[in-house]
Amino acid sequence: MAQPDALERILPDAQATESCGAALAPYCYGAVIYLEGDLGAGKTTLSRGLLRALGISGAVKSPTFSIVEIYALPCVTVFHLDLYRLSDPEEVMYLGIEDQRGADDVLLIEWPDHGRGALPPADLIIELSHRGDRRLLRATAMTAKGGELLGAIRSASEPRSG
């Protein structure tokens, strides 16, 4: 991609944040998605939406203390990482994700700046921030795959006529 494609959306509530994540599900295979934002900005909520749309019905919790949660589905495995507690980017290699990850598997990475230099490059970067009781989503496609994902967010959040 010559210049990254980007969009901004206001997400009025947790349901809208989950819906945004759900919109990514059909296009997420093989993607690396960075999730950036302060504590409580909605990173795990967005991840929950994607995971529910892929068929996860059990609890979807923040991997803050476990660092990684692995969701194995028949068609894909999703690795949900929270790198907040890492003190050195080198610690990423000790997680063994690259040894386990298949070509179609998905990486959702919260706090990717804590693993800078040790992570695969992002296809899509999603930044979430507080705007009162709402959230602002900024998404930037870094690859053609990221462009597909960005298109899914764009389509899902466009006003419906009718």
Side-chain angles (χ1 to χ4, degrees):
M1 298 184 79
Q3 182 174 345
D5 189 14
L7 68 77
E8 284 190 3
R9 291 288 186 265
I10 293 292
L11 302 172
D13 54 27
Q15 173 137 5
T17 305
E18 281 195 34
S19 293
C20 182
L24 299 173
Y27 308 95
C28 72
Y29 298 89
V32 176
I33 302 171
Y34 288 1
L35 300 167
E36 300 178 344
D38 292 335
L39 292 170
K43 299 178 297 293
T44 298
T45 302
L46 188 135
S47 298
R48 183 179 304 114
L50 185 148
L51 289 160
R52 292 263 186 264
L54 288 174
I56 296 296
S57 58
V60 175
K61 58 185 177 158
S62 173
T64 300
F65 294 103
S66 61
I67 300 178
V68 63
E69 292 289 332
I70 300 172
Y71 299 91
L73 294 153
C75 57
V76 68
T77 298
V78 178
F79 296 88
H80 184 191
L81 290 81
D82 184 328
L83 305 182
Y84 182 75
R85 296 177 52 232
L86 295 189
S87 57
D88 187 316
E90 239 179 61
E91 293 177 70
V92 170
M93 71 179 172
Y94 298 117
L95 299 174
I97 301 301
E98 286 304 310
D99 296 335
Q100 300 175 54
R101 182 175 170 231
D104 286 337
D105 292 342
V106 180
L107 288 178
L108 297 174
I109 306 171
E110 298 185 28
W111 301 95
D113 54 319
H114 289 232
R116 192 158 320 284
L119 294 171
D123 293 301
L124 183 68
I125 299 172
I126 296 176
E127 300 171 66
L128 293 159
S129 58
H130 298 276
R131 290 293 183 266
D133 60 348
R134 303 183 305 172
R135 301 288 184 265
L136 173 65
L137 176 139
R138 285 188 184 108
T140 305
M142 305 305 289
T143 65
K145 178 64 163 176
E148 288 179 34
L149 294 162
L150 191 68
I153 295 171
R154 189 173 276 130
S155 294
S157 60
E158 286 176 350
R160 304 228 191 296
S161 61

